Amino acid sequence: MVFDGEFWRDVEGDERLGLVMREAVKYYRFSHHDFSHVERVYNLAMRIAREVGEQVDIEVLKVAVLLHDVARHLEDEGKIGDHAEEGARIARGILESLGFPREKVERVCYCIRVHRFRGCEKPRTIEAQILQDADRLDAIGAVGIARAFARGGLLNTPFWDPEKPPKPGYDGSSETVINHFYEKLFKIRDTLNTEPARRIAEERHRYMVEFVERFIKEWMGEL
């Protein structure tokens, strides 16, 4: 199989990054958080890093992207409560086994620990801010719509129920897939850290809003 694009060129051209990738890929399982999610987040993160206008430790960012969701499947299976905290622990073990520099291990693990949507800590480093932004951008727009319904299918979540209004805030689960847009996805645009990410989010947000509006009209027989 021939792979193209910045992600695969970087992995093939950087021996240490390739070693991390080979370990990371073992942990990604479900379609809404599979390794293609990592590839998309990587591409977004590299774009933001180029456009943000600040000095970024690119190696820390690249490795953090590869490992940021290594524990996500455990949370989806109900085995842990916080995939970011557990992911940082797993990432530490992987990087230490590969002889990764200690200072960079700490910075990578920090990025992973603070990246999640429901986290209370605002990312302090530019690498952590970019990872969080890139991860959130992959949850909105056309890809975000596909991922929302993929996750809904995994959890057997109904598409929509007009009798079940959205909750005011996201608590980790939504009663319907459409509710998930109102409870979480429509709010992502206003949580981003960097200016490049906010620019990217505008079109993705608009597309999602139009999709949900049309979905409801079709459901009600208006279209």
Side-chain angles (χ1 to χ4, degrees):
M1 184 178 294
V2 177
F3 296 103
D4 196 10
E6 182 173 10
F7 172 78
W8 294 105
R9 288 195 299 271
D10 285 358
V11 167
E12 292 172 359
D14 185 324
E15 182 179 1
R16 189 153 68 180
L17 195 65
L19 290 172
V20 175
M21 190 273 286
R22 283 191 283 276
E23 290 299 315
V25 73
K26 302 172 185 176
Y27 293 87
Y28 292 87
R29 299 181 184 175
F30 302 124
S31 61
H32 62 291
H33 277 102
D34 62 7
F35 206 71
S36 68
H37 165 65
V38 174
E39 181 179 357
R40 294 188 303 271
V41 172
Y42 185 97
N43 291 334
L44 284 163
M46 293 305 102
R47 175 181 172 184
I48 295 168
R50 287 191 295 267
E51 297 179 6
V52 75
E54 297 184 40
Q55 186 172 353
V56 178
D57 188 322
I58 291 295
E59 185 175 39
V60 166
L61 179 59
K62 288 177 177 180
V63 172
V65 169
L66 289 180
L67 297 172
H68 78 281
D69 271 344
V70 290
R72 180 69 208 207
H73 68 283
L74 297 174
E75 185 173 314
D76 287 336
E77 293 166 353
K79 296 177 180 177
I80 60 170
D82 186 346
H83 75 278
E85 195 69 43
E86 178 65 11
R89 187 192 68 78
I90 294 172
R92 182 182 300 279
I94 291 172
L95 296 176
E96 288 178 350
S97 73
L98 295 174
F100 209 70
R102 180 173 295 275
E103 181 211 352
K104 293 200 175 190
V105 170
E106 297 302 323
R107 293 171 69 184
V108 168
C109 290
Y110 173 74
C111 292
I112 294 170
R113 184 168 59 80
V114 301
H115 85 275
R116 75 181 311 202
F117 183 80
R118 286 185 289 145
C120 299
E121 185 176 347
K122 181 89 171 164
R124 298 189 307 273
T125 68
I126 187 61
E127 296 83 14
Q129 291 172 6
I130 293 173
L131 171 61
Q132 188 182 81
D133 282 359
D135 188 49
R136 292 182 179 187
L137 285 171
D138 196 53
I140 63 177
V143 169
I145 293 167
R147 291 181 63 204
F149 281 91
R151 186 171 188 268
L154 174 70
L155 301 176
N156 199 30
T157 304
F159 286 171
W160 188 48
D161 184 342
E163 300 301 315
K164 294 179 178 178
K167 292 172 285 192
Y170 183 59
D171 59 8
S173 64
S174 299
E175 288 190 289
T176 74
V177 177
I178 293 300
N179 283 9
H180 189 63
F181 286 86
Y182 289 99
E183 294 167 3
K184 178 181 178 180
L185 304 187
F186 286 165
K187 299 177 181 180
I188 285 177
R189 179 184 59 173
D190 297 327
T191 70
L192 300 171
N193 303 287
T194 64
E195 182 58 33
R198 288 190 285 269
R199 289 198 305 269
I200 295 167
E202 286 301 322
E203 171 62 19
R204 294 185 179 217
H205 181 87
R206 181 196 63 76
Y207 187 88
M208 272 196 316
V209 170
E210 290 179 355
F211 170 83
V212 170
E213 289 175 348
R214 182 178 179 97
F215 182 98
I216 292 173
K217 287 180 179 178
E218 289 187 12
W219 185 287
M220 302 304 292
E222 296 172 11
L223 282 176

